[in-house]
């Protein structure tokens, strides 16, 4: 975890939350906070590529987890870590193939932390059935 990088990325994370539709009218569903924490745990305990693939699909989750992947990608693209022409998955796959898997994993986790912190700048909607 790079605290300075996370702090630098919070403004980009704040903007990404609105851009991808996680924050709507100044409100973020509490379920998104839970899901971003779950994403971090999935990456830490498993594989970056597997976590990206799992969170890219909606399945039966209460919220659209693919928005979290889009937000992480937006934060990393805003800082120039990921080229605009690549998806998060493609970038992570290419980084692993090039032998840079750990730095890539750390960047993704830092972006996820920046997003979780940026969510604190919005009002949290704690109602379970809310849209």
């Amino acid at each position: 975890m790079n605290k300075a990088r996370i702090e630098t990325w919070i403004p980009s994370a704040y903007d990404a939350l609105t851009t991808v539709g996680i924050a709507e009218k100044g409100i973020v569903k509490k379920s998104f906070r839970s899901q971003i924490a779950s994403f971090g745990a999935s990456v830490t305990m498993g594989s970056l590529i597997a976590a990206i693939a799992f969170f890219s699909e909606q399945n039966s989750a209460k919220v659209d987890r693919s928005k979290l992947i889009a937000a992480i990608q937006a934060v990393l693209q805003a800082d120039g870590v990921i080229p605009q022409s690549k998806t998060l998955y493609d970038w992570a796959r290419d980084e692993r193939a090039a032998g840079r898997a750990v730095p890539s994993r750390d960047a993704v986790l830092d972006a996820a932390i920046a997003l979780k912190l940026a969510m604190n700048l919005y009002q949290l909607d704690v109602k379970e059935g809310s849209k």
Side-chain angles (χ1 to χ4, degrees):
M1 175 170 63
N2 183 327
K3 292 179 185 179
R5 178 166 61 182
I6 291 167
E7 187 170 329
T8 302
W9 286 354
I10 290 173
S12 296
Y14 179 81
D15 294 340
L17 291 171
T18 300
T19 302
V20 302
I22 292 173
E24 296 176 346
K25 299 179 184 176
I27 298 172
V28 172
K29 291 180 189 175
K30 190 173 182 180
S31 298
F32 276 115
R33 276 185 59 90
S34 301
Q35 291 293 328
I36 196 72
S38 177
F39 175 79
S42 295
V43 171
T44 302
M45 299 303 291
S47 156
L48 174 60
I49 291 177
I52 292 168
F54 179 75
F55 277 78
S56 293
E57 188 175 35
Q58 172 59 31
N59 289 336
S60 62
K62 291 181 182 180
V63 294
D64 185 358
R65 294 183 301 217
S66 65
K67 290 181 179 181
L68 293 172
I69 297 301
I72 291 169
Q73 179 176 315
V75 170
L76 295 173
Q77 286 176 333
D79 194 56
V81 175
I82 296 178
Q84 295 293 327
S85 61
K86 286 196 178 185
T87 66
L88 182 61
Y89 172 79
D90 290 337
W91 173 78
R93 182 195 61 210
D94 294 349
E95 289 290 291
R96 184 180 67 182
R100 296 185 294 265
V102 173
S104 305
R105 183 178 140 260
D106 292 346
V108 170
L109 287 172
D110 287 351
I113 292 168
L115 284 166
K116 187 170 181 182
L117 292 171
M119 286 180 191
N120 292 328
L121 299 169
Y122 291 95
Q123 181 179 346
L124 290 180
D125 184 0
V126 296
K127 293 180 264 175
E128 278 300 313
S130 65
K131 293 218 176 202

